[in-house]
Amino acid sequence: MNSSTSFHVPEGLDVLKLPKHVAIIMDGNGRWAEKRLMNRIRGHEAGAETVRAIVRTCREIGIPILTLYAFSTENWQRSKIEVATLMMLLKKFIDSEENEMIENNIRLNAIGQLEKLPEDVRISLKRTMDLTGKNKGMLLNLALSYGGRAEIANMVKIIAEKARDGKIDPVLITENFISDHLYTAGMPDPDLLIRTSGEIRISNFLLWQIAYTEIFITDTLWPDFGKDEFIKILVDFQRRERRFGNVGR
Ligand code: FPP
């Protein structure tokens, strides 16, 4: 991720038409491991390596925001050992990437019910978020203990409290006002959502924010996903005509 490394613009990619915000549902770690007769945990370890590679690629190409679905509110139901491993990998990722994020001007942010995370993860997260808080090169947004419905319920609660306390008039409740009360306040909605491992569903991810997002589903399992396929998806995205409910040109 060293910023001094020269970067060649990949064939077919228009750097002036890059998505401003890419969101990824990283799926298939377990199947990747099972196919190799390995424990699911090996799949998550391999998946963490893919996270490193894709963050680097986004920084190199110049994608301003990357949001990764790293742990959902539903993932707490997995076995104790799997949850503990995912938390350990998360902490390891934050700690080991901290310096690279600082050197490469990347800001780390997290969205979700962060209070539910183990204390050691919260401490690492807060430290790296504080240390990288002023970085402007790229925003890496980790969705942790994240659920789209929980996010919407949280937004409704905050707005209802403000209305109850007489701080806002309900006429103020516009779509922008709602966006400003979500975890992603201040960020543009994702232009592109990628899901690996072939499942055609949203799985409670960024429900409000993906209203007009282009969706790309690949059969590749997350640990096998890499820079070349990511760039092919970006090229495909650039060929799509985004109409936002309007008619074509
Ligand atoms: C889905 O695979 C993936 C997850 C539940 C979590 C994603 C976690 C990582 C990529 C590793 C750690 C994260 C970071 C940010 C370093 P799955 O277990 O649902 O796969 P399956 O559907 O094949 O069982």
Side-chain angles (χ1 to χ4, degrees):
M1 226 193 292
N2 195 323
S3 49
S4 62
T5 313
S6 64
F7 176 69
H8 299 287
V9 177
E11 178 103 12
L13 191 69
D14 181 349
V15 285
L16 299 174
K17 277 173 58 187
L18 288 171
K20 290 191 176 53
H21 184 172
V22 174
I24 307 184
I25 302 178
M26 310 182 286
D27 195 13
N29 293 349
R31 272 163 285 169
W32 182 92
E34 281 155 22
K35 263 174 63 180
R36 287 164 178 74
L37 304 179
M38 290 171 172
N39 191 294
R40 296 176 56 78
I41 282 162
R42 281 287 302 115
H44 294 313
E45 284 168 358
E49 290 310 313
T50 306
V51 171
R52 288 187 174 86
I54 295 303
V55 173
R56 265 187 202 122
T57 302
C58 285
R59 178 66 184 110
E60 281 176 356
I61 301 177
I63 290 181
I65 307 178
L66 173 66
T67 299
L68 298 175
Y69 204 3
F71 195 90
S72 71
T73 44
E74 291 72 30
N75 286 156
W76 291 114
Q77 293 160 27
R78 295 194 177 191
S79 73
K80 250 183 157 178
I81 176 89
E82 188 166 347
V83 170
T85 302
L86 283 166
M87 291 301 141
M88 182 274 289
L89 286 172
L90 190 60
K91 182 174 168 353
K92 196 169 150 196
F93 171 81
I94 298 164
D95 294 345
S96 65
E97 297 302 295
E98 185 179 275
N99 279 338
E100 281 208 41
M101 288 192 234
I102 294 169
E103 282 167 20
N104 289 285
N105 203 14
I106 298 174
R107 175 158 80 90
L108 179 70
N109 184 53
I111 57 172
Q113 297 175 331
L114 307 182
E115 68 284 358
K116 295 202 172 148
L117 298 171
E119 197 187 3
D120 61 339
V121 175
R122 274 187 283 129
I123 290 171
S124 279
L125 202 52
K126 185 177 179 323
R127 191 195 54 232
T128 309
M129 281 168 59
D130 287 348
L131 282 168
T132 62
K134 292 200 166 68
N135 290 353
K136 299 271 186 284
M138 175 184 150
L139 171 62
L140 171 60
N141 219 8
L142 296 180
L144 301 173
S145 189
Y146 174 88
R149 287 185 172 183
E151 179 181 35
I152 289 171
N154 181 62
M155 169 274 293
V156 171
K157 190 164 154 259
I158 295 170
I159 295 179
E161 281 168 2
K162 285 187 180 175
R164 180 200 60 201
D165 297 344
K167 291 186 181 143
I168 57 155
D169 185 326
V171 296
L172 282 177
I173 304 172
T174 60
E175 291 182 16
N176 283 340
F177 189 83
I178 288 175
S179 295
D180 288 345
H181 287 80
L182 295 172
Y183 300 138
T184 49
M187 300 174 204
D189 289 339
D191 304 293
L192 172 64
L193 170 68
I194 300 170
R195 179 169 189 145
T196 58
S197 96
E199 311 289 348
I200 309 173
R201 54 177 171 261
I202 295 300
S203 300
N204 203 12
F205 192 40
L206 301 175
L207 296 180
W208 172 271
Q209 296 89 336
I210 59 168
Y212 284 104
T213 300
E214 295 294 323
I215 298 178
F216 196 102
I217 292 169
T218 168
D219 286 336
T220 306
L221 304 175
W222 177 250
D224 289 330
F225 190 72
K227 180 174 176 172
D228 291 349
E229 186 172 6
F230 183 49
I231 287 167
K232 276 194 194 135
I233 294 174
L234 293 174
V235 172
D236 176 285
F237 165 82
Q238 294 185 331
R239 290 200 191 110
R240 293 192 190 183
E241 186 193 5
R242 302 186 71 195
R243 294 204 292 269
F244 300 95
N246 206 333
V247 289
R249 276 169 277 149

